[in-house]
């Protein structure tokens, strides 16, 4: 990833300073402390070897500032970025998470921060049934519990959709099933504590990785 944050048009050019590592852009003028601390938490988070990461822009219509990260995890990962963009793997899990920040308190969020996330997950033939949506939702809630700091999973909203692709004619036998998940929630940020956005990014990455059936010998929690 380049810098792991996206600022909408209109923010002053970045100014290198003590807030940036030598190979990363400095803090842009006018960026709130709350946002910059969140950016630095993502920069310093541990990354999983078998998950590929990249920064994605956050639309300026959604918030004043935002942090967006996209992921891909699969048994063919080689750590060189996103080699399968042109030919997505049916056995890979992909997704993204965005942390949105509003300068003004948002009553509909109940906070300044809001998280939205998406996941596209593979489904094996034995999992492709009516239980799959609930299974993946429960697993996602369990993975996020560690960073939600006491927030009930019931406060998270979203949808889980099972998809079925059937091929015909010259495309041959390439039927596949998948699961798409869309989630939104207000993160738990105690008063006087900086928002640890990196913990949420890392948790979403772990959830995506947990849905992959790696080759024997691979380490997956």
């Amino acid at each position: 990833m380049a810098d792991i944050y996206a600022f909408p048009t209109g923010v002053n050019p970045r100014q290198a300073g003590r807030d940036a590592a030598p190979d990363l852009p400095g803090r842009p003028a006018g960026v709130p402390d709350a946002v910059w601390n969140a950016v630095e938490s993502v920069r310093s988070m541990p990354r999983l070897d078998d998950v590929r990461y990249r920064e994605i822009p956050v639309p300026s219509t959604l918030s004043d500032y935002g942090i967006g990260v996209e992921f891909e995890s699969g048994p063919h990962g080689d750590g060189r970025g996103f080699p399968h963009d042109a030919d997505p793997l049916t056995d890979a899990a992909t997704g993204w998470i965005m942390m949105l920040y509003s300068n003004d308190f948002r009553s509909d969020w109940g906070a300044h921060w809001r998280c939205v996330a998406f996941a596209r997950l593979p489904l094996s033939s034995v999992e492709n049934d009516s239980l799959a949506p609930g299974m993946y939702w429960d697993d996602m809630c369990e993975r996020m519990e560690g960073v939600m700091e006491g927030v009930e999973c019931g406060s998270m909203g979203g949808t889980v959709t099972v998809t079925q692709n059937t091929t015909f004619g010259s495309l041959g036998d390439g039927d596949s099933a998948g699961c798409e998940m869309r989630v939104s929630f207000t993160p738990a940020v105690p008063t006087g504590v900086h928002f640890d956005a990196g913990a949420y990014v890392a948790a979403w990455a772990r959830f995506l990785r947990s849905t992959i059936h790696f080759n024997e010998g691979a380490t997956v929690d």
Side-chain angles (χ1 to χ4, degrees):
M1 289 174 284
D3 6 278
I4 323 181
Y5 64 85
F7 293 102
T9 303
V11 174
N12 292 334
R14 296 168 181 160
Q15 300 175 348
R18 62 181 177 82
D19 293 313
D23 57 342
L24 292 173
R27 176 175 176 171
V31 174
D33 290 343
V35 175
W36 192 248
N37 287 322
V39 169
E40 292 193 318
S41 74
V42 178
R43 285 179 168 179
S44 62
M45 72 179 184
R47 302 186 192 177
L48 303 174
D49 292 337
D50 42 19
V51 174
R52 294 168 293 284
Y53 305 75
R54 67 176 171 189
E55 178 189 8
I56 56 174
V58 176
S60 59
T61 55
L62 296 180
S63 60
D64 294 309
Y65 299 95
I67 303 170
V69 182
E70 187 176 20
F71 315 87
E72 180 183 84
S73 181
H76 305 292
D78 53 19
R80 294 180 297 174
F82 282 66
H84 306 296
D85 281 341
D87 184 22
L89 294 172
T90 57
D91 56 353
T94 61
W96 50 260
I97 187 169
M98 294 181 182
M99 278 69 64
L100 312 176
Y101 180 83
S102 172
N103 287 325
D104 298 322
F105 183 90
R106 290 277 298 267
S107 59
D108 52 336
W109 296 354
H112 290 271
W113 286 101
R114 184 72 173 175
C115 290
V116 292
F118 172 80
R120 179 176 290 113
L121 314 170
L123 272 181
S124 67
S125 57
V126 296
E127 295 173 328
N128 186 14
D129 56 31
S130 60
L131 300 178
M135 177 186 68
Y136 273 125
W137 184 265
D138 291 343
D139 185 41
M140 180 274 297
C141 288
E142 181 179 344
R143 296 280 170 175
M144 299 301 291
E145 277 182 358
V147 295
M148 291 297 284
E149 300 181 7
V151 175
E152 295 293 333
C153 189
S155 65
M156 304 175 73
T159 62
V160 181
T161 305
V162 173
T163 61
Q164 181 73 46
N165 297 316
T166 303
T167 59
F168 298 92
S170 61
L171 292 180
D173 297 328
D175 295 358
S176 63
C179 187
E180 294 185 351
M181 177 180 294
R182 295 167 176 81
V183 182
S184 64
F185 57 91
T186 295
V189 185
T191 303
V193 177
H194 297 309
F195 174 39
D196 188 359
Y200 285 81
V201 174
W204 198 250
R206 288 194 300 271
F207 165 61
L208 291 177
R209 188 184 68 166
S210 72
T211 67
I212 296 300
H213 301 285
F214 284 82
N215 295 329
E216 185 176 355
T219 302
V220 181
D221 61 0

